[in-house]
Amino acid sequence: LLAGASVATTALTLITAGTAQEYGTNLGLMVFVKFVQGAVTALIPPGLNSITQGIVGGDGMTRQVSDNEMRNHFGTAIIVLTGSLTAFFMYPDIGLLFVVSPIACAGVLIFLSRIKPEDIDHDAARGLTAEYNLTGEDGTAALGDIVKDIDNDDSDKRAVSALSLLSDRTLLTFTIIVFLFHTSNGTVLPLVMQTLAIGEGRLGILMSGLCIIVAQVFMVGSAKICGDYSGLYGRKTLFLVGLFSVPLRCLILVFLT
């Protein structure tokens, strides 16, 4: 599933690059392709997190996800740096730039193939919970019987239903907050990049790439901080810092642009 999603999102990136027209004459097609790509790409993070949880378990999840995100953002910075320098020196013929996407996809497929299925606890990866019968026929629980049931894995393991997730008001509230955060956060960088790129030619491309690189480098540090301190001080403070960073960044940009 992850391999298919990676190949699909790479193919959609190449389709976007190959079919985009000047002045947005095929804007409808571009919006449709981006919607499809967004839906496909959304499969990747939960898939990777499930594999991670299946390998390291719940206890090691926070630190391992932190490590995964550090590598992810650092890799993104390297790819963008490579692409920006390629576009800078090859401008205005920058078609070769889009070769970076399939190369990165090939790396994903190679490393996915190196994960051994037997190293993954698939029940843990799916977040299954085990329900044990703790009472005997006489209505009392015997410790030996309980241990025996657990050792024999004689349990009814069930995944949390989608309906129960949708009925969780706390989770829904958190989902709405994250959605609004990404809606506001995701619009800032493209606007800044467009401002830098207009009329600047190859320098604008380089500066646009620099915007992404700086952001990704800071995300490496943020992932490290979250991994080290979220277990000690909780996650609410870190979330609030992240949420308030968006209006602060926009305020700074008001005076810089």
Side-chain angles (χ1 to χ4, degrees), residues 4-228:
S6 300
V7 172
T9 191
T10 300
L12 290 168
T13 298
L14 297 178
I15 290 173
T16 302
T19 59
Q21 299 178 3
E22 293 184 354
Y23 308 112
T25 54
N26 62 339
L27 179 62
L29 175 62
M30 292 294 98
V31 171
F32 174 75
V33 171
K34 290 291 104 178
F35 267 113
V36 175
Q37 186 174 16
V40 172
T41 306
L43 298 173
I44 297 177
L48 289 175
N49 286 336
S50 295
I51 292 176
T52 300
Q53 183 163 301
I55 294 175
V56 303
D59 293 339
M61 185 65 175
T62 298
R63 186 168 295 278
Q64 187 58 53
V65 168
S66 171
D67 188 57
N68 291 351
E69 288 301 311
M70 288 173 62
R71 297 171 188 271
N72 174 35
H73 293 302
F74 184 74
T76 301
I78 296 298
I79 291 175
V80 173
L81 177 62
T82 303
S84 298
L85 292 176
T86 300
F88 179 80
F89 289 108
M90 296 187 64
Y91 185 85
D93 300 320
I94 60 174
L96 186 62
L97 174 66
F98 295 97
V99 177
V100 173
S101 184
I103 291 175
C105 180
V108 171
L109 298 179
I110 290 172
F111 284 100
L112 277 177
S113 66
R114 296 181 63 182
I115 299 176
K116 298 178 181 179
E118 58 269 20
D119 291 337
I120 303 174
D121 183 340
H122 295 283
D123 289 341
R126 294 177 60 199
L128 295 181
T129 58
E131 296 181 1
Y132 297 95
N133 183 12
L134 302 184
T135 59
E137 294 180 356
D138 59 354
T140 62
L143 180 59
D145 293 336
I146 296 172
V147 173
K148 181 179 178 181
D149 285 344
I150 295 175
D151 289 341
N152 293 333
D153 198 25
D154 185 17
S155 60
D156 182 16
K157 295 181 178 180
R158 299 178 181 177
V160 178
S161 66
L163 184 61
S164 64
L165 291 177
L166 292 175
S167 62
D168 189 331
R169 293 185 179 181
T170 303
L171 181 60
L172 285 177
T173 302
F174 178 74
T175 302
I176 293 172
I177 291 173
V178 173
F179 172 79
L180 293 175
F181 169 78
H182 284 293
T183 301
S184 59
N185 183 59
T187 59
V188 176
L189 190 57
L191 291 173
V192 174
M193 293 170 63
Q194 290 176 23
T195 303
L196 293 173
I198 292 176
E200 295 295 338
R202 66 173 64 195
L203 181 61
I205 293 177
L206 190 62
M207 294 299 293
S208 297
L210 184 62
C211 289
I212 300 175
I213 294 169
V214 171
Q216 294 297 319
V217 170
F218 270 91
M219 290 177 196
V220 172
S222 297
K224 174 65 174 174
I225 292 173
C226 289
D228 289 345

